[in-house]
Amino acid sequence: MNYSKKYPLLKSISDLKEILWINPNYQPYDEANKRIELTYFDVLDAESRLNRFSSYIMSVYPETKNNNGLIESEIKTIPNMKNTLKDNYHQEIQGSLFLKCDHNLPISGSIKARGGIYEVLKHAEQLAIDNNLLTIHDDYSIMNSSKFKSFFSQYSIAVGSTGNLGLSIGIIGSQLGFKVIVHMSKDAKEWKKELLRNLGVKVIEYEADYSEAVKAGRKLSENNPYMHFIDDENSKDLFLGYSVAALRLKKQLDKSNIKVDKDHPLFVYLPCGVGGGPGGVTFGLKLIFKDNVHCFFAEPTHSPCMLLGLMTGMHDLISVGDFGIDNKTDADGLAVGKPSGFVGKTLENLISGVYTVSDESLYHLLKLMVDLEDIKLEPSALAGIPLIFNTEEYKNYLMKNDLKDKMKQSTHLSWATGGSMVPESVMKDYYNK
């Protein structure tokens, strides 16, 4: 198929230019939601499970006690960043600009602490219940014991990762007592591999990219009843773990007296790799705020896999390599060549658009975030600071959706996906670069 003829934007994407693509298949929530099999009750079920584990989480991670064992992050305004975007980048944001501080999530310091930790906890709960060691009415802090660690040590958990998902699963999996194997692509940072090995996690390295690491991990886990493979490309449990963030964000916005309704739209900007994290968050936000929230995914110019999958409708049947794009970026968590078909097909009518950002822009924004707000993020997290407000595409989206006159009352939320676990020396290198 001659994609370039059908999709004129492909030339700019293949030339690695920063672009904004507005989703032509975007639909009103009530229409789009008819074809999605997951429901609000699935998200509530995930939230209930995390609540059951709160006593266990507090017992092994005391830093979560001030939040009653919830793995959650704050939202905060970044006024200096907002002013600089206007003065230096000519990006005027008419409403408020907030940062969702998932770089500070307890336990593993990234958005992956939501989905990754949730799926491990769900698997542990199921094993314990099936073996008559636990009921859902128990105090789950009993799992912090040699009895449970000995039981879980019979089982293995495996995952393919560029870094942060592997970290979250390695940290919680080894804490529970599981044997953990992380299949890591060449993009993964050395410090992340080292941290995992220090926890006793087996790290298997691949010269190939993320998709190959996932494929190898999946294959090695097949036909082993004692090994659970966490499939970042297809897992509904990961997806639902991320989606719980929306329920908690609603409470945070209410507490801060931030309205989200027809006259007070919410815009959310989410860094995207394979799609599970931003996809789950978007799904949750759409369930709650419906047409009053507008979610944009952000990808590196060198790894725009979700953009290409959505644009062509081919989802996981194509990769960035099919378009001559090399998938080489310092945004390691976003260095993915092929998107999740599950996420793309589930949300193809709910995602407002996708924009791309160069590594150069990520480093500029990283330095600004440190200098102006004293916030240290890893490069991939800076993709959530959008530089799209001046584009004709963004302005047309506002016009088409009757948003232009409401922007002064709008709220903009950049999702900071990782950073607090980065060693000081590595962060210094990022800053200097």
Side-chain angles (χ1 to χ4, degrees), residues 34-46:
K34 285 176 189 169
R35 42 173 296 282
I36 298 175
E37 59 178 87
L38 294 172
T39 69
Y40 191 52
F41 295 105
D42 293 314
V43 181
L44 292 176
D45 179 56

PDB file of all heavy atoms in Angstrom, residues 34-46:
ATOM      1  N   LYS A  34     -19.123   2.414  23.157  1.00  0.00           N
ATOM      2  CA  LYS A  34     -19.984   1.255  22.884  1.00  0.00           C
ATOM      3  C   LYS A  34     -19.188   0.019  22.495  1.00  0.00           C
ATOM      4  O   LYS A  34     -19.613  -1.105  22.735  1.00  0.00           O
ATOM      5  CB  LYS A  34     -20.962   1.597  21.753  1.00  0.00           C
ATOM      6  CG  LYS A  34     -22.091   2.514  22.169  1.00  0.00           C
ATOM      7  CD  LYS A  34     -22.938   2.874  20.952  1.00  0.00           C
ATOM      8  CE  LYS A  34     -23.945   3.951  21.285  1.00  0.00           C
ATOM      9  NZ  LYS A  34     -24.598   4.495  20.079  1.00  0.00           N
ATOM     10  N   ARG A  35     -18.024   0.210  21.890  1.00  0.00           N
ATOM     11  CA  ARG A  35     -17.277  -0.929  21.360  1.00  0.00           C
ATOM     12  C   ARG A  35     -16.126  -1.365  22.274  1.00  0.00           C
ATOM     13  O   ARG A  35     -15.324  -2.217  21.901  1.00  0.00           O
ATOM     14  CB  ARG A  35     -16.740  -0.610  19.964  1.00  0.00           C
ATOM     15  CG  ARG A  35     -16.161   0.780  19.810  1.00  0.00           C
ATOM     16  CD  ARG A  35     -15.486   0.980  18.475  1.00  0.00           C
ATOM     17  NE  ARG A  35     -14.333   0.129  18.314  1.00  0.00           N
ATOM     18  CZ  ARG A  35     -13.146   0.360  18.864  1.00  0.00           C
ATOM     19  NH1 ARG A  35     -12.961   1.440  19.618  1.00  0.00           N
ATOM     20  NH2 ARG A  35     -12.151  -0.454  18.677  1.00  0.00           N
ATOM     21  N   ILE A  36     -16.046  -0.773  23.467  1.00  0.00           N
ATOM     22  CA  ILE A  36     -14.956  -1.130  24.387  1.00  0.00           C
ATOM     23  C   ILE A  36     -15.475  -2.135  25.409  1.00  0.00           C
ATOM     24  O   ILE A  36     -16.475  -1.889  26.088  1.00  0.00           O
ATOM     25  CB  ILE A  36     -14.391   0.122  25.088  1.00  0.00           C
ATOM     26  CG1 ILE A  36     -13.803   1.074  24.038  1.00  0.00           C
ATOM     27  CG2 ILE A  36     -13.325  -0.266  26.110  1.00  0.00           C
ATOM     28  CD1 ILE A  36     -13.329   2.396  24.598  1.00  0.00           C
ATOM     29  N   GLU A  37     -14.789  -3.267  25.530  1.00  0.00           N
ATOM     30  CA  GLU A  37     -15.299  -4.331  26.416  1.00  0.00           C
ATOM     31  C   GLU A  37     -15.027  -4.059  27.894  1.00  0.00           C
ATOM     32  O   GLU A  37     -15.767  -4.518  28.759  1.00  0.00           O
ATOM     33  CB  GLU A  37     -14.702  -5.687  26.019  1.00  0.00           C
ATOM     34  CG  GLU A  37     -13.184  -5.752  26.079  1.00  0.00           C
ATOM     35  CD  GLU A  37     -12.652  -7.134  25.712  1.00  0.00           C
ATOM     36  OE1 GLU A  37     -12.439  -7.384  24.522  1.00  0.00           O
ATOM     37  OE2 GLU A  37     -12.462  -7.932  26.637  1.00  0.00           O
ATOM     38  N   LEU A  38     -13.951  -3.328  28.212  1.00  0.00           N
ATOM     39  CA  LEU A  38     -13.665  -3.010  29.611  1.00  0.00           C
ATOM     40  C   LEU A  38     -14.635  -1.930  30.104  1.00  0.00           C
ATOM     41  O   LEU A  38     -15.085  -1.094  29.320  1.00  0.00           O
ATOM     42  CB  LEU A  38     -12.222  -2.520  29.761  1.00  0.00           C
ATOM     43  CG  LEU A  38     -11.137  -3.562  29.459  1.00  0.00           C
ATOM     44  CD1 LEU A  38      -9.765  -2.911  29.447  1.00  0.00           C
ATOM     45  CD2 LEU A  38     -11.174  -4.699  30.467  1.00  0.00           C
ATOM     46  N   THR A  39     -14.925  -1.948  31.403  1.00  0.00           N
ATOM     47  CA  THR A  39     -15.938  -1.042  31.948  1.00  0.00           C
ATOM     48  C   THR A  39     -15.429  -0.314  33.192  1.00  0.00           C
ATOM     49  O   THR A  39     -14.359  -0.611  33.720  1.00  0.00           O
ATOM     50  CB  THR A  39     -17.204  -1.828  32.352  1.00  0.00           C
ATOM     51  OG1 THR A  39     -16.879  -2.646  33.496  1.00  0.00           O
ATOM     52  CG2 THR A  39     -17.704  -2.706  31.215  1.00  0.00           C
ATOM     53  N   TYR A  40     -16.260   0.587  33.649  1.00  0.00           N
ATOM     54  CA  TYR A  40     -15.986   1.324  34.885  1.00  0.00           C
ATOM     55  C   TYR A  40     -15.833   0.370  36.067  1.00  0.00           C
ATOM     56  O   TYR A  40     -15.024   0.580  36.963  1.00  0.00           O
ATOM     57  CB  TYR A  40     -17.144   2.300  35.127  1.00  0.00           C
ATOM     58  CG  TYR A  40     -16.915   3.320  36.217  1.00  0.00           C
ATOM     59  CD1 TYR A  40     -15.771   4.115  36.224  1.00  0.00           C
ATOM     60  CD2 TYR A  40     -17.853   3.504  37.224  1.00  0.00           C
ATOM     61  CE1 TYR A  40     -15.563   5.070  37.220  1.00  0.00           C
ATOM     62  CE2 TYR A  40     -17.660   4.460  38.221  1.00  0.00           C
ATOM     63  CZ  TYR A  40     -16.512   5.231  38.217  1.00  0.00           C
ATOM     64  OH  TYR A  40     -16.309   6.161  39.195  1.00  0.00           O
ATOM     65  N   PHE A  41     -16.608  -0.728  36.048  1.00  0.00           N
ATOM     66  CA  PHE A  41     -16.552  -1.691  37.150  1.00  0.00           C
ATOM     67  C   PHE A  41     -15.201  -2.407  37.188  1.00  0.00           C
ATOM     68  O   PHE A  41     -14.718  -2.776  38.261  1.00  0.00           O
ATOM     69  CB  PHE A  41     -17.704  -2.696  37.039  1.00  0.00           C
ATOM     70  CG  PHE A  41     -19.046  -2.046  37.203  1.00  0.00           C
ATOM     71  CD1 PHE A  41     -19.866  -1.818  36.106  1.00  0.00           C
ATOM     72  CD2 PHE A  41     -19.478  -1.619  38.449  1.00  0.00           C
ATOM     73  CE1 PHE A  41     -21.090  -1.187  36.261  1.00  0.00           C
ATOM     74  CE2 PHE A  41     -20.705  -0.988  38.615  1.00  0.00           C
ATOM     75  CZ  PHE A  41     -21.513  -0.771  37.516  1.00  0.00           C
ATOM     76  N   ASP A  42     -14.592  -2.601  36.027  1.00  0.00           N
ATOM     77  CA  ASP A  42     -13.254  -3.201  35.989  1.00  0.00           C
ATOM     78  C   ASP A  42     -12.239  -2.286  36.679  1.00  0.00           C
ATOM     79  O   ASP A  42     -11.335  -2.754  37.378  1.00  0.00           O
ATOM     80  CB  ASP A  42     -12.821  -3.450  34.538  1.00  0.00           C
ATOM     81  CG  ASP A  42     -13.661  -4.509  33.848  1.00  0.00           C
ATOM     82  OD1 ASP A  42     -13.886  -5.563  34.457  1.00  0.00           O
ATOM     83  OD2 ASP A  42     -14.100  -4.271  32.713  1.00  0.00           O
ATOM     84  N   VAL A  43     -12.389  -0.975  36.469  1.00  0.00           N
ATOM     85  CA  VAL A  43     -11.481  -0.008  37.099  1.00  0.00           C
ATOM     86  C   VAL A  43     -11.719   0.019  38.616  1.00  0.00           C
ATOM     87  O   VAL A  43     -10.770   0.039  39.406  1.00  0.00           O
ATOM     88  CB  VAL A  43     -11.665   1.402  36.494  1.00  0.00           C
ATOM     89  CG1 VAL A  43     -10.694   2.392  37.136  1.00  0.00           C
ATOM     90  CG2 VAL A  43     -11.456   1.372  34.985  1.00  0.00           C
ATOM     91  N   LEU A  44     -12.983  -0.011  39.018  1.00  0.00           N
ATOM     92  CA  LEU A  44     -13.296  -0.037  40.457  1.00  0.00           C
ATOM     93  C   LEU A  44     -12.770  -1.305  41.125  1.00  0.00           C
ATOM     94  O   LEU A  44     -12.303  -1.281  42.265  1.00  0.00           O
ATOM     95  CB  LEU A  44     -14.811   0.072  40.672  1.00  0.00           C
ATOM     96  CG  LEU A  44     -15.450   1.407  40.297  1.00  0.00           C
ATOM     97  CD1 LEU A  44     -16.967   1.339  40.461  1.00  0.00           C
ATOM     98  CD2 LEU A  44     -14.884   2.550  41.143  1.00  0.00           C
ATOM     99  N   ASP A  45     -12.823  -2.423  40.397  1.00  0.00           N
ATOM    100  CA  ASP A  45     -12.295  -3.683  40.913  1.00  0.00           C
ATOM    101  C   ASP A  45     -10.788  -3.573  41.137  1.00  0.00           C
ATOM    102  O   ASP A  45     -10.258  -4.039  42.161  1.00  0.00           O
ATOM    103  CB  ASP A  45     -12.602  -4.814  39.919  1.00  0.00           C
ATOM    104  CG  ASP A  45     -12.047  -6.151  40.377  1.00  0.00           C
ATOM    105  OD1 ASP A  45     -12.377  -6.576  41.500  1.00  0.00           O
ATOM    106  OD2 ASP A  45     -11.275  -6.768  39.615  1.00  0.00           O
ATOM    107  N   ALA A  46     -10.088  -2.939  40.184  1.00  0.00           N
ATOM    108  CA  ALA A  46      -8.639  -2.740  40.325  1.00  0.00           C
ATOM    109  C   ALA A  46      -8.340  -1.839  41.520  1.00  0.00           C
ATOM    110  O   ALA A  46      -7.413  -2.098  42.300  1.00  0.00           O
ATOM    111  CB  ALA A  46      -8.068  -2.140  39.037  1.00  0.00           C
TER     112      ALA A  46
END
